[in-house]
């Protein structure tokens, strides 16, 4: 599959309902997502934000492998860690409820909530996104969260946590 053909197919589907598509597997394409969220094609960084967003709109994960999917084709790509990175955040209050609004490296925004929850893997925070995808929380954002976090004691263990959208998300235990 050529990159131009893939782009042409993707541009037809702005809000891709990937869950409704079941195209045949067409092999791998040399697209790689680095751990910092940069996208590469044949080793060269894709610098056009609109193109990265287009690819991200049809990115799915199945059994730990990543694919770009269109109604006609499904191609495998490689991902170093996770496809996205939470690079910024801000606190809002809406109807008396605290919300943490998160921004990813491709400009997507989401609210830390039960739908987009925080998970910790080996001490590294990740946010659950759409279609089972995840975003790693950038170290600077995590450090800001730690300074913003509240503490509480649960079962004799002090925890640092954040609250957003009526939910509590544990950042870690105090040693």
């Amino acid at each position: 599959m050529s990159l131009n053909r893939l782009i042409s197919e993707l541009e037809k589907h702005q809000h891709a309902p990937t869950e409704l598509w079941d195209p045949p597997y067409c092999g791998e394409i040399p697209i790689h997502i680095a751990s910092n969220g940069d996208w590469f094609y044949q080793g060269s960084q894709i610098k056009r934000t609109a193109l990265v967003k287009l690819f991200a709109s049809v990115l799915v994960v199945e059994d730990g492998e990543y694919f770009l999917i269109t109604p006609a084709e499904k191609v495998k790509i490689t991902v170093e860690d996770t496809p996205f990175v939470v690079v910024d955040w801000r606190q809002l209050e809406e109807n008396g409820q605290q919300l943490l609004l998160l921004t990813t490296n491709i400009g997507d925004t989401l609210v830390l909530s039960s739908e987009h929850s925080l998970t910790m893997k080996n001490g590294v925070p990740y946010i659950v996104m759409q279609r089972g995808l995840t975003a790693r929380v950038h170290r600077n954002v995590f450090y800001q969260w730690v300074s913003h976090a509240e503490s509480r004691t649960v079962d004799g263990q002090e925890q640092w946590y954040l609250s957003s959208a009526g939910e509590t998300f544990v950042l870690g235990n105090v040693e």
Side-chain angles (χ1 to χ4, degrees), residues 1 11 30 55 58 71-72 74 82 86 101 115 118 124 151 164 166:
M1 159 184 284
E11 287 176 337
F55 287 145
V58 294
K74 175 180 178 179
T82 189
V86 174
L101 184 65
E115 182 181 353
L118 172 73
V124 178
S151 68
S164 179

Side-chain angles (χ1 to χ4, degrees), residues 29-70:
I29 190 168
I31 292 179
H32 173 76
I33 305 173
S35 64
N36 67 354
D38 288 341
W39 291 55
F40 293 86
Y41 175 68
Q42 293 183 333
S44 296
Q45 185 176 357
I46 302 172
K47 295 187 179 194
R48 288 181 42 209
T49 304
L51 187 55
V52 170
K53 287 182 176 190
L54 183 63
F55 287 145
S57 73
V58 294
L59 181 65
V60 298
V61 60
E62 297 174 0
D63 298 322
E65 296 185 315
Y66 293 86
F67 301 90
L68 299 178
I69 186 170
T70 72

Side-chain angles (χ1 to χ4, degrees), residues 109-126:
T109 57
L110 50 110
V111 173
L112 183 61
S113 63
S114 59
E115 182 181 353
H116 300 292
S117 61
L118 172 73
T119 62
M120 300 295 284
K121 297 177 190 168
N122 299 321
V124 178
Y126 292 84

